[in-house]
Amino acid sequence: QVQLVESGGGSVQAGGSLRLSCAASGSVFGINVMGWYRQAPGKQRELVATITYPGSTNYADSVKGRFTISTNNAWNTVYLQMNSLKPEDTAVYYCNADIVYGPGSKSDYWGQGTQVTVSS
């Protein structure tokens, strides 16, 4: 069984930084795409950033130049470095991964979510 476990959320003042991590465990044969999404209260979940093997990245306009997505060498952990945080970045952040778990078998997985709160 595949799991995505997130860590690194918390509270920070505007202008501060946080680093989120998300580790995939279980029957992971390979990962094609990993990403971060967020959902603020009363709003729909939105894409923050994705990284596609072997390393192309995509960012929401609202975080370009402030957030950086990356992976470890084993491509089983994804990070989100968040700098110059703003109050509007406050949300629950979810890790997502397109994981190959067996020959010819893949599925989309989500982490449990981690709260990021930015105060002004």
Side-chain angles (χ1 to χ4, degrees), residues 21-117:
S21 299
C22 173
S25 62
S27 301
V28 178
F29 279 62
I31 300 178
N32 300 315
V33 185
M34 288 189 281
W36 291 94
Y37 292 72
R38 67 187 181 187
Q39 188 167 17
K43 294 188 177 181
Q44 289 189 330
R45 191 174 297 188
E46 63 176 4
L47 179 145
V48 176
T50 60
I51 184 165
T52 302
Y53 187 85
S56 62
T57 58
N58 178 55
Y59 295 94
D61 288 343
S62 58
V63 306
K64 281 180 182 176
R66 300 188 298 122
F67 291 10
T68 302
I69 190 170
S70 62
T71 67
N72 63 346
N73 289 336
W75 251 81
N76 57 15
T77 300
V78 63
Y79 307 99
L80 186 68
Q81 178 66 43
M82 304 185 292
N83 298 329
S84 302
L85 281 161
K86 304 176 181 180
E88 51 263 44
D89 294 318
T90 295
V92 177
Y93 283 70
Y94 296 91
C95 171
N96 174 266
D98 180 34
I99 296 177
V100 177
Y101 59 89
S105 299
K106 68 172 186 175
S107 189
D108 199 48
Y109 291 88
W110 290 91
Q112 79 280 8
T114 186
Q115 177 70 46
V116 171
T117 302

